[in-house]
């Protein structure tokens, strides 16, 4: 038999644009050059060098999660793999789960908990609202729940569960574990795993942390760890089995070959967070996001979520009458080399404010690209007023 001919393909000449697009959507986000450099190295996945890398990654992850837990580890896979690791280890047939549902990603947690046999009750939050602690407490009172799932920021529709600390406190008082999806919010806004009593924190690499997609982090509390160690139900996952993963992350033993280059990238991304410090990083994100929000509004556009429930990490912008979101995004990519996101069936476009996206020079370019593209497609906007407001808010002290 003759061999087939190899396909005729090329990455640099035909697929990738000459000038990289500025990634201002809902993730992945731009990565610093140092993270890219770390990501270009391959080392042994076991041995002394890797052991040092792992110890430092865990120490930095503990800082970013604000925890002393010994059960902080990396996951080879997207944020969704960390979500699945949380659910498949702590949910099994007969376990009762309360899922706070704000949108697309909180529903993904519902589906994952159902797939591993959990009895899931949904607490649906009305569109554009933040989860209400009183409603959570009422639901907990009605039934005994073992586990609660909630997102800190619902990237899909840009809603922020701002009462998360209170909700965690309530969950604790009912003896319910709380799993928090912080994929888009981690290191962009406060989260205190130990201080708030969060049992599992889930994050991905490609959003707030400004690392590459495909290597994620997860942290289990002591209480969560005891429960998953004591489970008798069979565990059908092997790669995501936390007890096996802990052999690698805490005991230097082989589980699977860790994505070494991605772990190095994550190490560098976390180091940059530590360098900046969390308070400074939160301040930068808040200032940049508010400036962009004000700029967008001053230009004549409307934000999707009312300010009391609005997420700062991802902005949802309503499309003006007659404008098509895909056409706006195409124009922004082709003419201005700025990439933003559509939404899951909503009449909005989304701009990220996570990690490297929250830099003044990126904001000016993005706001200009947005306004200019919409105008080219027929919208009536005051672009100079938007840019002036962006500049004003960026240089004004924050209100608190
Ligand atoms: C992006 C995101 C996810 C999923 O992350 P992937 O890396 O795409 O699997 C989950 N939850 C939230 C809140 C997100 O923003």
């Amino acid at each position: 038999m003759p061999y087939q001919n190899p396909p005729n393909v090329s990455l640099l000449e035909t697929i990738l644009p000459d000038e990289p697009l500025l990634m201002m959507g809902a993730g992945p986000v731009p990565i610093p050059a140092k993270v890219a450099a770390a990501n270009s190295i391959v080392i042994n996945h076991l041995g002394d060098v890797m052991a040092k890398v792992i110890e430092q990654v865990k120490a930095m992850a503990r800082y970013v999660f604000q925890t002393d837990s010994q059960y902080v580890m990396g996951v080879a896979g997207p944020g969704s793999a960390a979500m699945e690791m949380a659910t498949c280890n702590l949910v099994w047939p007969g376990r009762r789960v309360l899922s706070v549902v704000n949108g697309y990603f909180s529903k993904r947690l519902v589906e994952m908990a159902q797939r591993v046999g959990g009895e899931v009750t949904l607490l649906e939050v009305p569109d554009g609202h933040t989860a209400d602690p009183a409603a959570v407490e009422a639901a907990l009172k009605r039934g005994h729940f073992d586990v609660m799932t909630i997102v800190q920021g619902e990237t899909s529709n840009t809603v922020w569960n701002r009462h998360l600390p209170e909700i965690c406190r309530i969950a604790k008082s009912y003896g319910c574990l709380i799993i928090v999806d912080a994929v888009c919010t981690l290191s962009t806004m406060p989260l205190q795993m130990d201080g708030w009593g969060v049992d599992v924190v889930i994050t991905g690499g490609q959003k707030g942390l400004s690392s590459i997609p495909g290597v994620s982090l997860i942290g289990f509390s002591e209480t969560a760890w005891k429960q998953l160690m004591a489970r008798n139900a069979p565990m059908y996952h092997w790669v995501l089995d936390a007890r096996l993963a802990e052999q690698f992350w805490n005991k230097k033993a082989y589980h699977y070959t860790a994505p070494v280059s991605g772990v190095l990238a994550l190490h560098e991304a976390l180091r940059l967070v530590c360098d900046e410090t969390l308070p400074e990083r939160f301040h930068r994100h808040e200032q940049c996001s508010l400036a962009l929000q004000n700029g967008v509004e001053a230009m004549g556009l409307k934000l999707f979520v009312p300010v009391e429930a609005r997420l700062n990490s991802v902005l949802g912008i309503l499309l003006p009458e007659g404008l098509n979101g895909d056409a706006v995004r195409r124009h922004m990519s082709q003419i201005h080399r700025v990439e933003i996101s559509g939404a899951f069936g909503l009449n909005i476009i989304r701009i990220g404010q996570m990690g490297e996206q929250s830099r003044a020079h990126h904001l000016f370019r993005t706001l200009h690209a947005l306004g200019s593209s919409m105008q080219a497609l027929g919208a009536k906007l005051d672009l100079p007023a938007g840019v002036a407001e962006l500049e004003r808010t960026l240089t004004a002290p924050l209100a608190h």
Side-chain angles (χ1 to χ4, degrees):
M1 278 281 284
Y3 285 101
Q4 289 181 6
N5 290 323
N8 181 16
V9 299
S10 87
L11 184 61
L12 297 177
E13 282 85 42
T14 60
I15 301 183
L16 293 180
D18 294 338
E19 183 190 339
L21 299 184
L22 177 60
M23 301 295 286
M24 294 299 284
V29 310
I31 57 172
K34 285 177 177 167
V35 173
N39 189 48
S40 70
I41 299 166
V42 173
I43 62 171
N44 192 344
H45 66 111
L46 297 169
D48 291 347
V49 173
M50 190 62 179
K52 281 187 195 137
V53 170
I54 294 297
E55 280 315 305
Q56 293 188 358
V57 165
K58 288 191 298 183
M60 294 188 290
R62 281 190 199 106
Y63 169 69
V64 176
F65 288 179
Q66 290 288 291
T67 183
D68 292 325
S69 170
Q70 293 309 299
Y71 306 105
V72 167
M73 40 195 128
V75 187
S80 299
M83 293 162 85
E84 198 136 52
M85 189 159 172
T87 46
C88 78
N89 281 280
L90 289 166
V91 179
W92 54 83
R95 288 275 270 186
R96 292 176 50 82
V97 181
L98 179 65
S99 287
V100 178
V101 174
N102 294 83
Y104 188 87
F105 290 111
S106 24
K107 280 207 192 99
R108 185 174 291 179
L109 283 164
V110 170
E111 189 180 342
M112 286 173 172
Q114 285 171 336
R115 282 179 180 223
V116 290
E119 292 167 23
V120 185
T121 300
L122 272 59
L123 178 62
E124 306 224 35
V125 181
D127 283 346
H129 284 69
T130 184
D132 173 14
V136 171
E137 176 142 29
L140 286 171
K141 221 175 235 159
R142 277 196 297 274
H144 171 80
F145 290 100
D146 303 294
V147 177
M148 186 192 304
T149 65
I150 188 168
V151 297
Q152 184 176 28
E154 182 48 85
T155 321
S156 61
N157 55 15
T158 69
V159 164
W160 173 34
N161 280 324
R162 64 155 64 224
H163 304 299
L164 185 59
E166 172 77 359
I167 289 171
C168 291
R169 197 187 55 69
I170 294 167
K172 272 268 106 83
S173 74
Y174 284 82
C176 179
L177 292 179
I178 181 155
I179 297 175
V180 174
D181 174 341
V183 176
C184 85
T185 47
L186 192 81
S187 90
T188 73
M189 63 170 68
L191 182 138
Q192 300 202 343
M193 184 172 171
D194 290 1
W196 297 358
V198 178
D199 288 292
V200 186
V201 175
I202 297 161
T203 199
Q206 78 277 19
K207 298 194 184 168
L209 294 177
S210 263
S211 183
I212 59 156
V215 182
S216 304
L217 285 170
I218 190 166
F220 295 92
S221 70
E222 201 69 51
T223 313
W225 195 260
K226 278 204 190 102
Q227 291 194 14
L228 71 86
M229 286 303 282
R231 72 179 273 166
N232 292 315
M235 164 60 85
Y236 295 104
H237 287 268
W238 191 89
V239 166
L240 296 176
D241 186 332
R243 291 167 297 190
L244 297 181
E246 202 244 347
Q247 295 297 310
F248 175 76
W249 287 88
N250 280 347
K251 310 213 167 101
K252 302 182 189 176
Y254 172 64
H255 173 207
Y256 54 79
T257 304
V260 284
S261 310
V263 172
L264 294 174
L266 183 62
H267 182 292
E268 187 58 16
L270 288 166
R271 193 190 65 75
L272 291 170
V273 177
C274 293
D275 230 28
E276 184 173 15
T277 76
L278 287 175
E280 287 297 322
R281 196 172 173 92
F282 299 152
H283 183 273
R284 168 166 66 87
H285 278 88
E286 188 177 1
Q287 184 127 38
C288 283
S289 182
L290 294 182
L292 188 57
Q293 290 171 37
N294 290 347
V296 162
E297 287 182 326
M299 202 157 81
L301 295 168
K302 294 208 160 42
L303 293 164
F304 184 54
V305 175
V307 67
E308 62 276 6
R310 186 181 300 156
L311 182 63
N312 280 343
S313 320
V314 184
L315 273 62
I317 301 164
L318 273 168
L319 284 157
E321 266 303 295
L323 276 201
N324 174 289
D326 289 341
V328 172
R329 293 173 50 230
R330 204 174 316 115
H331 196 277
M332 287 180 73
S333 293
Q334 287 174 354
I335 307 298
H336 301 284
R337 300 257 165 252
V338 176
E339 186 99 336
I340 65 166
S341 296
F344 303 90
L346 299 167
N347 193 36
I348 60 172
I349 45 179
R350 294 177 302 153
I351 300 180
Q353 277 303 282
M354 299 176 283
E356 289 307 299
Q357 293 176 325
S358 292
R359 300 283 181 199
H361 56 294
H362 293 334
L363 300 186
F364 283 101
R365 185 167 154 198
T366 303
L367 188 67
H368 171 261
L370 176 71
S372 172
S373 296
M374 283 187 168
Q375 281 177 333
L377 296 168
K380 293 271 172 293
L381 297 173
D382 189 347
L383 182 48
V387 175
E389 184 57 29
L390 174 59
E391 169 66 10
R392 198 196 60 76
T393 320
L394 270 177
T395 49
L398 283 176
H400 53 87

